[in-house]
């Protein structure tokens, strides 16, 4: 599984005007090709009176399915530059539709590429993009004597404590990036002289948004 990738948490809309032509970008998170196609059709119905509804999407993480459409614009001037923005930003599970209302002035090949690129960038800028990290739950059981050292270590390593329980012992559930699990376990054992108990749990993706930790059971 990929250790880290970017994805859309909440879609947005952006617009630019180039020589009186309006370019309206709509962005949406999608998990399947069917969802992406349905979104594209939805935008075509919403902007039924527009001359073009060009699109691009990337589905999946390890071997993403990517598609794009110029929807009547000269070949390579709309869908391809839109897709290049998506892949350049390394965003997955995303669909973008850029609607063009023609302003009466031809933009030329270069002008179209720039306009569709900028509109896509504007749509993404107005969306919530999150960074998903592959993590593993780690259950930690310790005595009260070692809790200060453990909290200091977790703070330094920026390890998120999902929950804590204080009874006759201290039980913590940690979210540890998979690439750090082995090292964190080793350090915990060292600072407690082997007295800490550790139990590895499930693997999943998580992201931090506005200071809150979001857990994703799928991708």
């Amino acid at each position: 599984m990929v250790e880290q990738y970017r994805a859309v948490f909440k879609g947005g809309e952006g617009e630019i005007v180039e020589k009186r032509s309006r370019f309206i970008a709509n962005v949406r998170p999608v998990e399947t090709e069917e969802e992406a196609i349905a979104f594209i059709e939805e935008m075509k119905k919403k902007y039924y009176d527009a001359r073009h509804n060009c699109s691009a999407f990337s589905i999946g993480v390890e071997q993403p399915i990517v598609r794009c459409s110029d929807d009547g614009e000269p070949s390579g001037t709309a869908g391809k530059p839109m897709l290049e923005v998506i892949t350049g930003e390394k965003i997955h599970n995303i669909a973008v539709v850029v609607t063009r209302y023609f302003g009466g002035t031809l933009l030329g090949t270069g002008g179209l590429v720039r306009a569709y690129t900028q509109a896509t960038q504007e749509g993404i800028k107005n969306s919530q993009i999150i960074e998903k990290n592959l993590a593993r739950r780690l259950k930690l059981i310790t005595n009260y004597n070692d809790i200060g050292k453990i909290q200091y270590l977790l703070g330094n390593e920026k390890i998120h404590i999902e929950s804590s329980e204080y009874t006759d012992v201290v039980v913590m559930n940690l979210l540890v990036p998979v690439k750090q699990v082995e090292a964190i376990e080793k350090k915990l054992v060292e600072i407690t002289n082997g007295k800490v108990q550790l139990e590895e749990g499930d693997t999943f993706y998580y992201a931090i948004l506005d200071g809150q930790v979001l857990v994703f059971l799928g991708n």
Side-chain angles (χ1 to χ4, degrees), residues 23 40 44 50-57 67-84 96-100 108-109 112-117 120:
F23 294 83
I40 293 166
K44 286 183 176 181
R51 178 168 290 195
H52 306 282
N53 285 285
C54 304
S55 59
F57 62 81
R67 302 277 189 275
C68 62
S69 169
D70 294 312
D71 195 38
E73 292 282 29
S75 179
T77 62
K80 183 180 178 183
M82 291 169 61
L83 187 58
E84 287 176 348
V96 182
V97 176
V98 175
T99 300
R100 181 189 182 189
T109 300
L112 288 172
V113 170
R114 285 192 299 274
Y116 280 101
T117 296
T120 303

Side-chain angles (χ1 to χ4, degrees), residues 4 131 133-136 138 149-162 172-181 183-184 187-188 206-208 211 213:
Q4 188 180 76
E131 191 172 86
N133 297 277
L134 187 63
R136 184 168 296 138
L138 186 64
K149 291 182 288 186
I150 289 173
Q151 289 176 329
Y152 181 78
L153 171 66
L154 298 178
N156 273 357
E157 299 290 339
K158 296 181 172 57
I159 301 300
H160 178 70
I161 302 172
E162 188 176 31
M172 292 181 173
N173 288 299
L174 313 176
L175 305 185
V176 185
V178 289
K179 60 186 177 182
Q180 291 180 254
V181 170
I184 290 296
K187 289 179 181 179
L188 286 168
Y206 79 96
I208 298 176
V213 175

